[in-house]
C-alpha cells in the first residue's frame, strides 16, 4: 500500500474528507527537522515552501514562484496537481476543497495543529466555513500512524555562543524582552521560533540542516525563564550556564502542561509564530495577542555582531576568490559539473577559520537550470559545465561570527546578446538598491521598486522577494523586515542586515541573479529627518564580462567601481600574489 493509500485509510477511520500538510514544524520554522517533513514525505516535493492537500479522491500542492519549475518536475507521475500561488486563476486551498468536496458526505478537514500557526488556523477555519460549510480539525498527528520509521525529535548537543561573537549577555536580552512585554501589557510570553530562542539564550545547536538552532521552547516571565528541552541535549557546561543566567529547565514535551498551570497574569502569544494547539492550551485567559518582540530585537545587530559579519565576509570573500579563479581555469579543461563545483566551493569555505557549515545547500545552476529559482543539483539532474553560457551560483556559509549569503552569475564563455542584456538589467537593479539612500523607518516594500525599475521598463519582472534579513550565525533567512513587492510594514533601521538579490529567469534558457548582503547604516540627518544607506558586507567581484556598458548610467558605473575597489582593498591583504593578481584584474575600473 502506498503512502497516499495509507493516508486515505486513516482518513476514512477518522471520517475526514481531506488532510492538509503544511511546510512547518511545531515552531513554525522555515527549515524543519526531518521528523516534521510531512509535506515532503507525502508528496515527494522537497522545496522549503509549499502545502500539500489530499482528499479521498484527489491531491494538490500549492507553492510559490521560486518552485514552480522544480515542483512541476517533482510531481510528475503522482496524483498531485500543482497549484501556482499568486497566479490569476489559482484557487486557494479552501476554495479548491469547497469544489472538490461539494458532493462528499464528510465535511471535516484535518491537519496537525502543532504545525500550523494560530493565525493561519483561524483564517483557514473561517475560509473553509465560507466554502461549503467545511470544518477544520487540528488535534490529529496523522503522520505518527502512517509514516513507518518516522524520525524522532533530534537530540544533538547544544553549545554556548561566546560573548566575543554574541556581543550581549543572555541576562541583558531577557531584561530588554521583559521591558518590552510590560510596554505591550504582558507579563510573560511564549518564544516558539528556534532562532529567537537561540539568540535570546546565546546558545546554538545542530538540529536543523544548515541552521545552527536546537529544538526547544522558551517561556519568559517577569521573574523567571523556563527552557523546555530534553536533558540529553545539555552538556554540564550548558546546564551550569543556564543556571547562572537564571533559566530553569523542563522536559521538551511538558510545555502544554506548564502553560495550563502557569499563573502569569498576561501571556503574550504571537499568532504567527505560536502554533494553534499551544495557543488553544492557553485559551483566552489574559492573553495578549501581538508580534513577538524578539524578532525585531534580533534583526538589529549590535556592534560586535556587525564586526563579526565583516570578518566572516572577509574570510568568505577569500574562499570565493580562490574558487572563482579555480573555476575560470578548470571549466575549459573539462570534467567539471554542477555538483563538482559546488563541492569545490564547500571545500574552499571549510578551509577558512571559524567555518561551521553551509548556510544552505548550494545552488549551482548551469544555463537552463538557472531559470529554476531554487534549483539544487542532484546526481539525477547534474550536468557538465561547458566553456560557454552562464553558471548561476547561490551559496553561503555559517561561521562562528556571521552568516553569509551571496549569488554570482558567471560567464563561462561566449553568451548571447539576450543573456548580456538580461544580465545588465539585473545588475542595474542590484546597484540601484545597493546605492540607495532612504528615510529611517521606510519599509522594505517602499524600497523594492528601485531594484525592479529598469527591468519593468523592458516588461520583465521576478516573482520572489528582493531581500531578506540574515542572522548572526543563525538562520540565513531572518525577519521581520523584507524587501519585496508584497506589503511588509517592518521598518528598516540601522544595524539591520538585508540581501540585495534581484533576478530574471527565462524558462528553458537561463537565469541571472546577483546578490550581496548589506548592512543598514546611518547616512545623513537634515531638517527632514534621519536618512540611512547600505554598506555592502559581501566581498566578491561581480563578473563584468557580460555587461552591456552602454546600459549602465554614470552613477551605476561609479557604484560598481567603488564596490570593486572596496573588494580588492579588503581582500588583497589576505591573498597570495597569484590570487591578488587575479582579483586585481577582476576588479579593475569599468570605463
Amino acid at each position: 500500500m502506498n503512502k497516499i493509500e495509507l493516508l486515505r485509510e486513516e482518513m476514512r477511520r477518522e471520517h475526514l474528507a481531506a488532510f492538509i500538510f503544511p511546510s512547518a514544524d511545531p515552531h513554525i520554522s522555515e527549515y524543519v527537522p526531518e521528523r516534521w517533513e510531512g509535506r515532503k514525505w507525502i508528496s515527494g516535493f522537497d522545496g522549503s515552501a509549499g502545502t500539500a492537500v489530499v482528499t479521498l479522491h484527489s491531491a494538490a500542492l500549492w507553492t510559490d514562484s521560486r518552485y514552480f519549475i522544480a515542483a512541476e518536475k517533482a510531481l510528475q507521475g503522482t496524483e498531485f496537481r500543482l497549484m501556482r500561488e499568486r497566479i490569476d486563476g489559482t484557487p486557494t486551498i479552501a476554495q479548491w476543497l469547497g469544489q472538490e468536496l461539494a458532493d462528499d458526505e464528510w465535511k471535516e478537514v484535518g491537519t496537525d495543529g502543532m504545525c500550523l500557526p494560530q493565525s493561519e488556523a483561524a483564517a483557514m477555519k473561517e475560509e473553509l466555513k465560507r466554502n461549503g460549510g467545511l470544518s477544520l480539525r487540528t488535534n490529529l498527528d496523522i503522520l505518527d500512524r502512517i509514516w513507518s520509521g518516522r524520525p524522532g525529535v533530534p537530540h544533538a548537543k547544544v553549545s554556548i555562543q561566546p560573548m566575543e561573537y554574541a556581543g550581549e549577555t543572555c541576562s541583558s536580552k531577557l531584561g530588554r524582552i521583559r521591558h518590552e512585554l510590560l510596554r505591550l501589557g504582558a507579563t510573560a510570553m511564549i518564544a516558539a521560533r528556534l532562532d529567537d530562542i537561540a539568540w535570546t539564550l546565546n546558545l546554538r545547536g545542530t538540529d536543523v540542516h544548515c541552521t545552527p538552532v536546537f529544538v526547544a521552547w522558551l517561556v519568559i516571565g517577569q521573574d523567571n525563564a523556563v527552557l523546555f528541552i530534553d536533558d540529553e541535549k545539555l552538556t554540564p557546561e550548558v546546564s551550569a550556564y543556564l543556571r547562572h543566567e537564571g533559566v530553569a529547565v523542563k522536559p521538551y514535551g511538558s510545555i502544554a502542561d506548564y502553560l495550563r498551570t502557569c499563573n502569569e497574569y498576561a501571556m503574550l502569544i504571537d499568532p504567527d509564530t505560536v502554533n494553534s494547539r499551544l495557543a488553544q492550551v492557553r485559551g483566552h485567559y489574559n492573553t495578549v495577542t501581538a508580534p513577538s518582540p524578539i524578532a525585531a530585537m534580533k534583526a538589529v545587530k549590535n556592534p560586535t555582531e556587525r564586526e563579526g559579519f565583516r570578518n566572516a565576509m572577509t574570510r568568505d570573500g577569500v574562499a570565493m576568490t580562490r574558487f572563482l579563479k579555480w573555476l575560470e581555469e578548470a571549466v575549459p579543461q573539462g570534467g567539471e559539473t554542477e555538483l563538482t563545483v559546488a563541492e569545490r566551493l564547500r571545500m574552499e569555505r571549510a578551509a577558512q577559520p571559524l567555518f561551521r557549515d553551509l548556510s544552505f545547500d548550494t545552488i549551482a545552476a548551469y544555463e537552463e537550470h538557472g531559470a529554476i529559482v531554487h534549483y539544487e543539483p542532484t546526481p539525477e539532474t547534474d550536468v557538465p559545465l561547458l566553456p560557454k553560457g552562464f553558471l548561476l551560483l547561490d551559496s553561503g556559509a555559517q561561521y562562528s561570527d556571521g552568516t553569509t549569503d551571496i549569488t554570482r552569475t558567471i560567464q563561462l564563455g561566449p553568451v548571447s546578446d539576450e543573456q548580456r542584456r538580461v544580465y545588465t538589467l539585473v545588475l542595474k537593479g542590484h546597484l540601484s538598491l545597493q546605492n540607495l539612500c532612504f528615510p529611517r523607518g521606510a519599509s522594505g516594500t517602499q524600497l523594492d521598486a528601485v531594484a525592479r525599475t529598469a527591468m519593468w521598463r523592458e516588461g520583465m519582472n521576478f516573482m520572489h522577494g528582493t531581500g531578506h534579513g540574515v542572522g548572526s550565525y543563525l538562520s540565513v533567512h531572518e525577519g521581520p523586515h523584507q524587501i519585496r513587492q508584497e506589503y511588509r510594514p517592518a521598518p528598516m533601521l540601522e544595524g539591520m542586515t538585508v540581501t540585495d538579490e534581484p533576478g530574471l529567469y527565462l524558462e528553458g534558457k537561463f537565469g541571472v541573479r546577483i546578490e550581496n548582503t548589506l548592512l543598514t547604516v546611518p547616512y545623513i540627518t537634515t531638517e527632514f529627518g534621519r536618512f540611512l544607506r547600505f554598506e555592502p558586507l559581501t566581498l566578491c567581484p561581480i563578473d563584468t564580462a557580460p555587461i552591456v556598458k552602454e546600459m549602465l548610467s554614470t552613477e551605476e558605473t561609479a557604484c560598481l567601481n567603488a564596490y570593486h575597489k572596496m573588494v580588492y582593498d579588503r581582500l588583497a591583504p589576505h591573498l597570495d600574489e597569484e590570487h591578488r593578481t587575479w582579483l586585481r584584474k577582476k576588479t579593475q575600473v569599468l570605463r
Side-chain angles (χ1 to χ4, degrees):
M1 188 178 296
N2 66 32
K3 297 173 183 178
I4 293 183
E5 288 171 345
L6 285 170
L7 170 63
R8 286 175 175 153
E9 187 175 272
E10 288 299 323
M11 288 165 57
R12 292 185 187 97
R13 287 196 183 100
E14 297 291 338
H15 291 187
L16 293 174
F19 205 89
I20 299 173
F21 296 90
S23 293
D25 59 14
H27 306 273
I28 318 303
S29 307
E30 178 182 11
Y31 303 109
V32 305
E34 287 184 53
R35 175 173 178 77
W36 292 289
E37 290 184 328
R39 185 262 300 152
K40 174 183 175 181
W41 182 81
I42 196 70
S43 70
F45 169 62
D46 62 1
S48 66
T51 303
V53 184
V54 179
T55 75
L56 293 172
H57 47 75
S58 58
L61 182 135
W62 281 254
T63 193
D64 61 44
S65 62
R66 295 173 297 168
Y67 296 109
F68 287 169
I69 299 174
E72 189 170 23
K73 292 182 178 179
L75 300 180
Q76 285 179 355
T78 74
E79 286 190 49
F80 285 93
R81 174 186 172 190
L82 176 59
M83 298 291 186
R84 294 171 170 82
E85 290 179 346
R86 294 194 292 274
I87 299 297
D88 289 345
T90 299
T92 66
I93 291 172
Q95 289 169 344
W96 183 77
L97 284 173
Q99 297 164 6
E100 291 291 306
L101 306 180
D103 298 325
D104 285 27
E105 176 186 358
W106 298 332
K107 298 295 183 180
E108 189 168 51
V109 176
T111 193
D112 182 359
M114 287 292 287
C115 296
L116 196 66
Q118 182 193 24
S119 57
E120 288 187 23
M124 179 67 71
K125 285 179 181 178
E126 287 301 314
E127 195 177 0
L128 285 171
K129 188 185 300 182
R130 292 195 304 268
N131 285 271
L134 304 175
S135 61
L136 184 67
R137 177 181 171 186
T138 60
N139 65 347
L140 178 61
D141 182 358
I142 208 165
L143 289 172
D144 261 354
R145 301 185 186 182
I146 64 175
W147 187 348
S148 176
R150 183 184 184 185
V153 176
H155 287 139
K157 297 293 185 183
V158 173
S159 62
I160 299 170
Q161 178 74 337
M163 270 296 291
E164 63 182 301
Y165 305 134
E168 183 182 8
T169 65
C170 167
S171 297
S172 172
K173 291 176 180 179
L174 287 171
R176 288 203 289 139
I177 293 167
R178 287 167 176 146
H179 182 271
E180 186 63 15
L181 288 175
L182 290 177
R183 192 187 70 82
L184 294 168
T187 60
M189 69 169 290
I190 304 171
R193 293 291 299 267
L194 301 184
D195 56 339
D196 287 354
I197 297 169
W199 176 85
T200 300
L201 300 178
N202 287 340
L203 297 175
R204 299 294 187 268
T206 58
D207 285 348
V208 176
H209 180 59
C210 293
T211 306
V213 296
F214 52 94
V215 173
W217 309 97
L218 179 63
V219 175
I220 303 170
Q222 285 301 306
D223 300 314
N224 69 335
V226 183
L227 178 66
F228 296 84
I229 188 170
D230 290 331
D231 281 341
E232 58 208 278
K233 299 173 69 66
L234 302 179
T235 65
E237 179 188 19
V238 171
S239 294
Y241 164 80
L242 289 170
R243 285 194 297 271
H244 179 268
E245 295 294 336
V247 179
V249 174
K250 292 184 180 293
Y252 175 73
S254 67
I255 176 71
D257 289 339
Y258 181 85
L259 291 177
R260 288 189 188 97
T261 59
C262 178
N263 60 2
E264 288 287 350
Y265 176 71
M267 179 79 70
L268 183 143
I269 292 180
D270 180 348
D272 294 329
T273 64
V274 176
N275 69 60
S276 66
R277 291 282 299 282
L278 277 190
Q280 288 169 11
V281 166
R282 187 65 184 176
H284 298 289
Y285 176 72
N286 287 343
T287 295
V288 175
T289 300
S292 164
I294 299 176
M297 293 179 183
K298 180 170 88 276
V300 176
K301 302 328 188 234
N302 64 49
T304 299
E305 291 173 319
R306 298 176 203 182
E307 194 58 27
F309 265 104
R310 295 185 182 101
N311 294 334
M313 294 289 180
T314 298
R315 295 192 299 277
D316 207 61
V318 169
M320 286 295 301
T321 298
R322 293 179 58 85
F323 166 79
L324 290 172
K325 180 180 182 297
W326 168 85
L327 181 72
E328 186 176 88
E329 298 164 354
V331 170
Q333 302 301 315
E336 300 300 336
T337 71
E338 294 168 328
L339 282 175
T340 65
V341 299
E343 175 58 19
R344 175 70 183 220
L345 179 53
R346 187 199 66 79
M347 292 170 57
E348 292 288 358
R349 285 190 163 116
Q352 296 300 313
L354 302 184
F355 173 84
R356 303 299 297 268
D357 198 355
L358 299 181
S359 55
F360 57 95
D361 290 322
T362 297
I363 298 170
Y366 180 58
E367 287 289 74
E368 63 267 23
H369 284 167
I372 305 172
V373 180
H374 274 206
Y375 169 82
E376 293 172 14
T378 66
E380 293 73 31
T381 65
D382 191 28
V383 295
L385 305 185
L386 304 177
K388 63 178 183 178
F390 280 154
L391 172 67
L392 190 157
L393 194 68
D394 189 347
S395 64
Q398 296 284 6
Y399 300 94
S400 295
D401 52 356
T403 301
T404 70
D405 187 2
I406 172 177
T407 306
R408 291 294 183 264
T409 302
I410 305 150
Q411 180 176 323
L412 299 182
V415 296
S416 67
D417 289 343
E418 181 182 41
Q419 286 175 304
R420 296 181 67 229
R421 183 175 67 87
V422 168
Y423 182 92
T424 309
L425 285 172
V426 172
L427 178 60
K428 285 172 69 69
H430 174 87
L431 294 172
S432 296
L433 181 58
Q434 181 170 289
N435 204 37
L436 184 65
C437 303
F438 53 94
R440 184 182 190 272
S443 77
T445 307
Q446 293 169 307
L447 311 186
D448 180 79
V450 172
R452 300 176 189 263
T453 300
M455 56 184 72
W456 281 351
R457 290 195 181 109
E458 302 287 329
M460 307 179 82
N461 197 18
F462 58 97
M463 299 302 291
H464 60 73
T466 303
H468 56 81
V470 180
S472 178
Y473 184 38
L474 272 174
S475 177
V476 74
H477 289 164
E478 188 176 87
H481 62 294
Q482 295 184 47
I483 301 176
R484 62 186 311 118
Q485 290 186 103
E486 297 84 5
Y487 180 55
R488 295 292 187 273
M492 297 295 299
L493 304 173
E494 53 268 55
M496 286 181 166
T497 54
V498 68
T499 61
D500 171 8
E501 50 180 312
L504 285 173
Y505 312 94
L506 281 68
E507 186 173 351
K509 293 183 177 181
F510 63 92
V512 175
R513 185 163 65 253
I514 301 171
E515 175 188 18
N516 282 347
T517 300
L518 313 174
L519 176 67
T520 309
V521 297
Y523 170 55
I524 193 172
T525 300
T526 73
E527 65 270 30
F528 297 99
R530 295 160 63 184
F531 289 78
L532 307 177
R533 64 176 179 86
F534 291 124
E535 172 194 333
L537 291 172
T538 302
L539 299 173
C540 179
I542 294 171
D543 197 349
T544 58
I547 295 174
V548 181
K549 297 178 184 177
E550 297 76 21
M551 290 176 61
L552 292 185
S553 68
T554 301
E555 184 179 35
E556 290 162 352
T557 301
C559 179
L560 179 61
N561 287 334
Y563 173 71
H564 274 157
K565 182 180 186 304
M566 182 190 72
V567 168
Y568 181 80
D569 290 346
R570 292 274 300 277
L571 293 183
H574 304 278
L575 298 170
D576 58 32
E577 184 58 36
E578 181 182 1
H579 288 90
R580 274 199 302 272
T581 300
W582 181 90
L583 184 61
R584 187 180 301 114
K585 177 182 176 182
K586 295 300 178 182
T587 57
Q588 64 188 357
V589 172
L590 186 70
R591 302 187 187 279

